[in-house]
Amino acid sequence: MARQHRVVDHIVEHLATIGIDHIFGVDGANIEDLYDAAHFRSDITAVLAKHEFSAAAMADGYSRAGARLGVVAATSGGGALNLVPGLGESFASRVPVLALVGQPAMPMDGRGSFQDTSGRNGSLNAEALFSAVSVFCRRVVAPADIASALPAAVAAARTGGPAVLLLPKDIQQGLVATNGYELDGTAPRIGDLHPIMRALRRANGPVTIVAGEQVARDDARRELEELRALLRAQVACVPDAKDVAGTPGFGSSSALGLTGVMGHPGVAEAVAGSGLCLVVGSRLPVTARAGLDDALAATRTISIGSAPPYVPCTHVHTDDVRLSLSMLIRELSGGGRPAGLRVPDGMARTELRPPLVDAPGVRYRDAMAVLDAALPAGVDIVVDAGNTGAAAIHYLPVRRDGRFAVALGMGGMGYSFGAGIGMAFGRGRRTVVIAGDGAFFMHGMEVHTAVQYRLPVTFVLFNNNAHAMCVTREQLFYDDLYSYNRFSPSNLGAGLAAMFPGLSSVDVADLDAFPAALAHAMAVDGPSVVSVECSADEIPPFAAFLTQADPVARQHITNHKEDRTHVPASA
């Protein structure tokens, strides 16, 4: 028998029915009804963030953790607009996220209402805006429409990217009759796998696999390792899929490391020496492809994934990498096993070598060694943009049974704070957020969200009192004559301890003190912070910078900070 309830009740009940147990957001007048509906359900937790960008990052991190579809909610006006950069990251990185965005009541459309985004009478058009950062966007204009719009949005998000529902206040409160739920039963689209199978069967020589972010999204880690073993291949990962191969138990003995600007130089050599390169689940944007163009052009390349790479190759579409790899494994086993494959003669696992720097503070490579020794199996790691992120991506290994997330789609600073919280909610285990002070000053107050919910998140902040990557650019590209990007000194650890009573938060000034501080932080029941003093003058393992710096000619960089014009201080 049909029953009537509010649209918002229908939304939260539908989400719970498909296994979603968290909604991340910031409350407000035009989304409060959704929070009200969530309050009366024991199977959904509505999490209150401090900023909508971070709420979107929470949903993104929750989704990347493999928990379930990430859901973010925001009110109208500035709250809605704050979602755009977060959804832009999910769009560029093809991360499934559902955004529920409140709007003013429809009778006020085009009549000068506060935060009108109907697109009428000269108002901002929210549907046009969000359509640019989503794979699906629909404004719900009648309560009954939610019955079809919601499952359509969920299905679209699951293909890889954000889906947005714009929900006017009166529509949220409207009544809708339901006879159950239209669940997403759409079968994944999988193209003809025969071109991949033929290429692998005809391959003569070693095979190199480049594994991408869709392997993580579809949780095809085990299938990737089975295919690697079958093909006796070596595997390299793109930076934002660092945890899909090379971790203990997933073919680490045949792992080449990472591709791209923060990757390992030996990958290009391995690809160039291959009989065939198989790209799995990546478009290979510049950050993942840098240094590989010549090798890929000289090597036969085939691809399988939800979108073709930016390099010419034979591509087969799949919405489900996990299922497709299982099908390939089955077809290539036994009598169908490729005969011309061979194990590479050697594996070149190399590191970038930035020049030395004569400056106070802990060096990136040394700090990552301490983290590597201290972080146990099962720990998840979320890394922010910038010099700190480049060092962690390049140097810090993934933990066994752990996740490693980094946002390289848009590279928005401060992403890691929300994403780490979302991952902790999704996986219920210790999460380590690695970020610089520049990222912290943008969105680091989400530490309070971790405190409020007593989450097992350890924030490791590398404090060089600067936007250090911008400082590096000033040094390398603008003759080091001035700096807009150095900050007044701050003690982040002590400051956070003073702000949030009971939070374990300390500053570390040298390498000797770091291990003990980190061990204590990891043992805390709840959130913790360790702020590590480092130098803005250290060049990170970032290929474009090292080429410009010429490490052969410049093995040692001296800190002349006191001789530079510090623009903010002199303004």
PDB file of all heavy atoms in Angstrom, residues 517-545:
ATOM      1  N   ALA A 517      57.185  11.600  19.409  1.00  0.00           N
ATOM      2  CA  ALA A 517      55.951  12.378  19.283  1.00  0.00           C
ATOM      3  C   ALA A 517      54.941  11.660  18.404  1.00  0.00           C
ATOM      4  O   ALA A 517      53.733  11.632  18.701  1.00  0.00           O
ATOM      5  CB  ALA A 517      56.270  13.757  18.711  1.00  0.00           C
ATOM      6  N   LEU A 518      55.411  11.045  17.336  1.00  0.00           N
ATOM      7  CA  LEU A 518      54.522  10.330  16.430  1.00  0.00           C
ATOM      8  C   LEU A 518      53.964   9.076  17.092  1.00  0.00           C
ATOM      9  O   LEU A 518      52.769   8.768  16.959  1.00  0.00           O
ATOM     10  CB  LEU A 518      55.276   9.969  15.150  1.00  0.00           C
ATOM     11  CG  LEU A 518      54.458   9.359  14.018  1.00  0.00           C
ATOM     12  CD1 LEU A 518      53.333  10.296  13.593  1.00  0.00           C
ATOM     13  CD2 LEU A 518      55.360   9.047  12.826  1.00  0.00           C
ATOM     14  N   ALA A 519      54.796   8.346  17.836  1.00  0.00           N
ATOM     15  CA  ALA A 519      54.328   7.149  18.527  1.00  0.00           C
ATOM     16  C   ALA A 519      53.229   7.494  19.525  1.00  0.00           C
ATOM     17  O   ALA A 519      52.214   6.787  19.634  1.00  0.00           O
ATOM     18  CB  ALA A 519      55.496   6.463  19.232  1.00  0.00           C
ATOM     19  N   HIS A 520      53.417   8.583  20.264  1.00  0.00           N
ATOM     20  CA  HIS A 520      52.388   9.004  21.216  1.00  0.00           C
ATOM     21  C   HIS A 520      51.106   9.386  20.488  1.00  0.00           C
ATOM     22  O   HIS A 520      49.998   9.015  20.907  1.00  0.00           O
ATOM     23  CB  HIS A 520      52.898  10.186  22.046  1.00  0.00           C
ATOM     24  CG  HIS A 520      51.861  10.744  22.981  1.00  0.00           C
ATOM     25  ND1 HIS A 520      51.525  10.139  24.167  1.00  0.00           N
ATOM     26  CD2 HIS A 520      51.056  11.850  22.865  1.00  0.00           C
ATOM     27  CE1 HIS A 520      50.569  10.842  24.764  1.00  0.00           C
ATOM     28  NE2 HIS A 520      50.269  11.883  23.994  1.00  0.00           N
ATOM     29  N   ALA A 521      51.226  10.129  19.395  1.00  0.00           N
ATOM     30  CA  ALA A 521      50.048  10.565  18.650  1.00  0.00           C
ATOM     31  C   ALA A 521      49.261   9.388  18.100  1.00  0.00           C
ATOM     32  O   ALA A 521      48.027   9.396  18.104  1.00  0.00           O
ATOM     33  CB  ALA A 521      50.477  11.493  17.518  1.00  0.00           C
ATOM     34  N   MET A 522      49.962   8.360  17.638  1.00  0.00           N
ATOM     35  CA  MET A 522      49.296   7.192  17.076  1.00  0.00           C
ATOM     36  C   MET A 522      48.590   6.364  18.141  1.00  0.00           C
ATOM     37  O   MET A 522      47.655   5.617  17.853  1.00  0.00           O
ATOM     38  CB  MET A 522      50.311   6.332  16.321  1.00  0.00           C
ATOM     39  CG  MET A 522      50.879   6.972  15.073  1.00  0.00           C
ATOM     40  SD  MET A 522      49.647   7.180  13.767  1.00  0.00           S
ATOM     41  CE  MET A 522      49.322   5.455  13.363  1.00  0.00           C
ATOM     42  N   ALA A 523      49.033   6.478  19.379  1.00  0.00           N
ATOM     43  CA  ALA A 523      48.452   5.686  20.470  1.00  0.00           C
ATOM     44  C   ALA A 523      47.257   6.364  21.120  1.00  0.00           C
ATOM     45  O   ALA A 523      46.563   5.753  21.940  1.00  0.00           O
ATOM     46  CB  ALA A 523      49.520   5.404  21.523  1.00  0.00           C
ATOM     47  N   VAL A 524      47.009   7.617  20.792  1.00  0.00           N
ATOM     48  CA  VAL A 524      45.914   8.368  21.396  1.00  0.00           C
ATOM     49  C   VAL A 524      44.573   7.783  20.957  1.00  0.00           C
ATOM     50  O   VAL A 524      44.383   7.397  19.804  1.00  0.00           O
ATOM     51  CB  VAL A 524      46.012   9.858  20.998  1.00  0.00           C
ATOM     52  CG1 VAL A 524      44.739  10.606  21.347  1.00  0.00           C
ATOM     53  CG2 VAL A 524      47.209  10.501  21.674  1.00  0.00           C
ATOM     54  N   ASP A 525      43.640   7.712  21.896  1.00  0.00           N
ATOM     55  CA  ASP A 525      42.284   7.269  21.579  1.00  0.00           C
ATOM     56  C   ASP A 525      41.493   8.464  21.074  1.00  0.00           C
ATOM     57  O   ASP A 525      40.897   9.210  21.844  1.00  0.00           O
ATOM     58  CB  ASP A 525      41.630   6.683  22.824  1.00  0.00           C
ATOM     59  CG  ASP A 525      40.223   6.168  22.533  1.00  0.00           C
ATOM     60  OD1 ASP A 525      39.891   5.978  21.340  1.00  0.00           O
ATOM     61  OD2 ASP A 525      39.442   5.991  23.492  1.00  0.00           O
ATOM     62  N   GLY A 526      41.523   8.685  19.776  1.00  0.00           N
ATOM     63  CA  GLY A 526      40.887   9.845  19.190  1.00  0.00           C
ATOM     64  C   GLY A 526      41.861  10.599  18.307  1.00  0.00           C
ATOM     65  O   GLY A 526      42.887  10.068  17.890  1.00  0.00           O
ATOM     66  N   PRO A 527      41.588  11.862  18.027  1.00  0.00           N
ATOM     67  CA  PRO A 527      42.454  12.621  17.131  1.00  0.00           C
ATOM     68  C   PRO A 527      43.720  13.100  17.822  1.00  0.00           C
ATOM     69  O   PRO A 527      43.789  13.203  19.043  1.00  0.00           O
ATOM     70  CB  PRO A 527      41.577  13.809  16.716  1.00  0.00           C
ATOM     71  CG  PRO A 527      40.656  13.998  17.878  1.00  0.00           C
ATOM     72  CD  PRO A 527      40.394  12.622  18.437  1.00  0.00           C
ATOM     73  N   SER A 528      44.730  13.416  17.014  1.00  0.00           N
ATOM     74  CA  SER A 528      46.000  13.928  17.525  1.00  0.00           C
ATOM     75  C   SER A 528      46.671  14.726  16.422  1.00  0.00           C
ATOM     76  O   SER A 528      46.353  14.567  15.233  1.00  0.00           O
ATOM     77  CB  SER A 528      46.907  12.792  17.995  1.00  0.00           C
ATOM     78  OG  SER A 528      47.114  11.840  16.966  1.00  0.00           O
ATOM     79  N   VAL A 529      47.621  15.575  16.832  1.00  0.00           N
ATOM     80  CA  VAL A 529      48.319  16.441  15.893  1.00  0.00           C
ATOM     81  C   VAL A 529      49.800  16.449  16.231  1.00  0.00           C
ATOM     82  O   VAL A 529      50.182  16.566  17.402  1.00  0.00           O
ATOM     83  CB  VAL A 529      47.783  17.891  15.939  1.00  0.00           C
ATOM     84  CG1 VAL A 529      48.578  18.790  14.986  1.00  0.00           C
ATOM     85  CG2 VAL A 529      46.297  17.939  15.597  1.00  0.00           C
ATOM     86  N   VAL A 530      50.630  16.318  15.194  1.00  0.00           N
ATOM     87  CA  VAL A 530      52.070  16.530  15.327  1.00  0.00           C
ATOM     88  C   VAL A 530      52.463  17.529  14.245  1.00  0.00           C
ATOM     89  O   VAL A 530      52.263  17.279  13.057  1.00  0.00           O
ATOM     90  CB  VAL A 530      52.878  15.232  15.162  1.00  0.00           C
ATOM     91  CG1 VAL A 530      54.379  15.532  15.277  1.00  0.00           C
ATOM     92  CG2 VAL A 530      52.467  14.204  16.208  1.00  0.00           C
ATOM     93  N   SER A 531      52.992  18.678  14.658  1.00  0.00           N
ATOM     94  CA  SER A 531      53.461  19.688  13.710  1.00  0.00           C
ATOM     95  C   SER A 531      54.975  19.639  13.662  1.00  0.00           C
ATOM     96  O   SER A 531      55.645  19.769  14.697  1.00  0.00           O
ATOM     97  CB  SER A 531      52.983  21.079  14.143  1.00  0.00           C
ATOM     98  OG  SER A 531      53.465  22.070  13.250  1.00  0.00           O
ATOM     99  N   VAL A 532      55.529  19.432  12.465  1.00  0.00           N
ATOM    100  CA  VAL A 532      56.965  19.222  12.283  1.00  0.00           C
ATOM    101  C   VAL A 532      57.557  20.436  11.583  1.00  0.00           C
ATOM    102  O   VAL A 532      57.104  20.828  10.501  1.00  0.00           O
ATOM    103  CB  VAL A 532      57.222  17.953  11.442  1.00  0.00           C
ATOM    104  CG1 VAL A 532      58.713  17.681  11.318  1.00  0.00           C
ATOM    105  CG2 VAL A 532      56.497  16.753  12.032  1.00  0.00           C
ATOM    106  N   GLU A 533      58.576  21.026  12.195  1.00  0.00           N
ATOM    107  CA  GLU A 533      59.239  22.175  11.585  1.00  0.00           C
ATOM    108  C   GLU A 533      60.113  21.703  10.418  1.00  0.00           C
ATOM    109  O   GLU A 533      60.908  20.765  10.556  1.00  0.00           O
ATOM    110  CB  GLU A 533      60.117  22.891  12.610  1.00  0.00           C
ATOM    111  CG  GLU A 533      59.333  23.541  13.734  1.00  0.00           C
ATOM    112  CD  GLU A 533      58.432  24.664  13.251  1.00  0.00           C
ATOM    113  OE1 GLU A 533      58.882  25.465  12.404  1.00  0.00           O
ATOM    114  OE2 GLU A 533      57.270  24.724  13.700  1.00  0.00           O
ATOM    115  N   CYS A 534      59.947  22.319   9.268  1.00  0.00           N
ATOM    116  CA  CYS A 534      60.763  21.989   8.105  1.00  0.00           C
ATOM    117  C   CYS A 534      61.104  23.292   7.376  1.00  0.00           C
ATOM    118  O   CYS A 534      60.840  24.381   7.896  1.00  0.00           O
ATOM    119  CB  CYS A 534      60.061  20.986   7.199  1.00  0.00           C
ATOM    120  SG  CYS A 534      58.406  21.468   6.683  1.00  0.00           S
ATOM    121  N   SER A 535      61.689  23.179   6.198  1.00  0.00           N
ATOM    122  CA  SER A 535      62.188  24.357   5.509  1.00  0.00           C
ATOM    123  C   SER A 535      61.456  24.592   4.198  1.00  0.00           C
ATOM    124  O   SER A 535      61.273  23.660   3.401  1.00  0.00           O
ATOM    125  CB  SER A 535      63.691  24.224   5.222  1.00  0.00           C
ATOM    126  OG  SER A 535      64.135  25.279   4.388  1.00  0.00           O
ATOM    127  N   ALA A 536      61.082  25.841   3.968  1.00  0.00           N
ATOM    128  CA  ALA A 536      60.459  26.208   2.689  1.00  0.00           C
ATOM    129  C   ALA A 536      61.459  26.216   1.550  1.00  0.00           C
ATOM    130  O   ALA A 536      61.074  26.305   0.380  1.00  0.00           O
ATOM    131  CB  ALA A 536      59.811  27.580   2.812  1.00  0.00           C
ATOM    132  N   ASP A 537      62.748  26.114   1.859  1.00  0.00           N
ATOM    133  CA  ASP A 537      63.779  26.180   0.820  1.00  0.00           C
ATOM    134  C   ASP A 537      64.163  24.805   0.277  1.00  0.00           C
ATOM    135  O   ASP A 537      64.971  24.723  -0.649  1.00  0.00           O
ATOM    136  CB  ASP A 537      65.021  26.869   1.377  1.00  0.00           C
ATOM    137  CG  ASP A 537      64.732  28.312   1.754  1.00  0.00           C
ATOM    138  OD1 ASP A 537      64.531  29.124   0.839  1.00  0.00           O
ATOM    139  OD2 ASP A 537      64.684  28.617   2.955  1.00  0.00           O
ATOM    140  N   GLU A 538      63.586  23.757   0.836  1.00  0.00           N
ATOM    141  CA  GLU A 538      63.887  22.416   0.333  1.00  0.00           C
ATOM    142  C   GLU A 538      63.055  22.138  -0.911  1.00  0.00           C
ATOM    143  O   GLU A 538      61.827  22.271  -0.906  1.00  0.00           O
ATOM    144  CB  GLU A 538      63.609  21.357   1.397  1.00  0.00           C
ATOM    145  CG  GLU A 538      63.959  19.958   0.929  1.00  0.00           C
ATOM    146  CD  GLU A 538      63.713  18.884   1.988  1.00  0.00           C
ATOM    147  OE1 GLU A 538      63.203  19.222   3.070  1.00  0.00           O
ATOM    148  OE2 GLU A 538      64.040  17.716   1.727  1.00  0.00           O
ATOM    149  N   ILE A 539      63.712  21.721  -1.982  1.00  0.00           N
ATOM    150  CA  ILE A 539      63.011  21.346  -3.202  1.00  0.00           C
ATOM    151  C   ILE A 539      62.479  19.924  -3.039  1.00  0.00           C
ATOM    152  O   ILE A 539      63.218  19.018  -2.647  1.00  0.00           O
ATOM    153  CB  ILE A 539      63.937  21.441  -4.422  1.00  0.00           C
ATOM    154  CG1 ILE A 539      64.379  22.895  -4.628  1.00  0.00           C
ATOM    155  CG2 ILE A 539      63.252  20.924  -5.680  1.00  0.00           C
ATOM    156  CD1 ILE A 539      65.324  23.091  -5.791  1.00  0.00           C
ATOM    157  N   PRO A 540      61.203  19.701  -3.326  1.00  0.00           N
ATOM    158  CA  PRO A 540      60.629  18.367  -3.146  1.00  0.00           C
ATOM    159  C   PRO A 540      60.970  17.458  -4.317  1.00  0.00           C
ATOM    160  O   PRO A 540      61.490  17.920  -5.350  1.00  0.00           O
ATOM    161  CB  PRO A 540      59.130  18.658  -3.106  1.00  0.00           C
ATOM    162  CG  PRO A 540      58.970  19.811  -4.042  1.00  0.00           C
ATOM    163  CD  PRO A 540      60.201  20.668  -3.837  1.00  0.00           C
ATOM    164  N   PRO A 541      60.667  16.164  -4.217  1.00  0.00           N
ATOM    165  CA  PRO A 541      60.850  15.253  -5.353  1.00  0.00           C
ATOM    166  C   PRO A 541      59.760  15.476  -6.394  1.00  0.00           C
ATOM    167  O   PRO A 541      58.760  14.772  -6.457  1.00  0.00           O
ATOM    168  CB  PRO A 541      60.753  13.865  -4.701  1.00  0.00           C
ATOM    169  CG  PRO A 541      59.912  14.083  -3.490  1.00  0.00           C
ATOM    170  CD  PRO A 541      60.214  15.464  -3.008  1.00  0.00           C
ATOM    171  N   PHE A 542      59.975  16.482  -7.209  1.00  0.00           N
ATOM    172  CA  PHE A 542      59.006  16.914  -8.213  1.00  0.00           C
ATOM    173  C   PHE A 542      59.800  17.183  -9.484  1.00  0.00           C
ATOM    174  O   PHE A 542      60.629  18.095  -9.539  1.00  0.00           O
ATOM    175  CB  PHE A 542      58.303  18.180  -7.707  1.00  0.00           C
ATOM    176  CG  PHE A 542      57.088  18.585  -8.497  1.00  0.00           C
ATOM    177  CD1 PHE A 542      55.872  17.957  -8.304  1.00  0.00           C
ATOM    178  CD2 PHE A 542      57.161  19.618  -9.414  1.00  0.00           C
ATOM    179  CE1 PHE A 542      54.753  18.341  -9.015  1.00  0.00           C
ATOM    180  CE2 PHE A 542      56.042  20.008 -10.138  1.00  0.00           C
ATOM    181  CZ  PHE A 542      54.838  19.373  -9.936  1.00  0.00           C
ATOM    182  N   ALA A 543      59.575  16.368 -10.502  1.00  0.00           N
ATOM    183  CA  ALA A 543      60.471  16.328 -11.657  1.00  0.00           C
ATOM    184  C   ALA A 543      60.653  17.688 -12.327  1.00  0.00           C
ATOM    185  O   ALA A 543      61.763  18.056 -12.710  1.00  0.00           O
ATOM    186  CB  ALA A 543      59.954  15.305 -12.670  1.00  0.00           C
ATOM    187  N   ALA A 544      59.581  18.451 -12.468  1.00  0.00           N
ATOM    188  CA  ALA A 544      59.691  19.732 -13.164  1.00  0.00           C
ATOM    189  C   ALA A 544      60.625  20.685 -12.423  1.00  0.00           C
ATOM    190  O   ALA A 544      61.384  21.438 -13.043  1.00  0.00           O
ATOM    191  CB  ALA A 544      58.309  20.353 -13.304  1.00  0.00           C
ATOM    192  N   PHE A 545      60.613  20.652 -11.094  1.00  0.00           N
ATOM    193  CA  PHE A 545      61.496  21.515 -10.311  1.00  0.00           C
ATOM    194  C   PHE A 545      62.944  21.054 -10.405  1.00  0.00           C
ATOM    195  O   PHE A 545      63.866  21.858 -10.500  1.00  0.00           O
ATOM    196  CB  PHE A 545      61.070  21.541  -8.847  1.00  0.00           C
ATOM    197  CG  PHE A 545      59.766  22.249  -8.594  1.00  0.00           C
ATOM    198  CD1 PHE A 545      59.107  22.085  -7.391  1.00  0.00           C
ATOM    199  CD2 PHE A 545      59.197  23.076  -9.550  1.00  0.00           C
ATOM    200  CE1 PHE A 545      57.914  22.746  -7.137  1.00  0.00           C
ATOM    201  CE2 PHE A 545      58.000  23.740  -9.312  1.00  0.00           C
ATOM    202  CZ  PHE A 545      57.355  23.570  -8.099  1.00  0.00           C
TER     203      PHE A 545
END
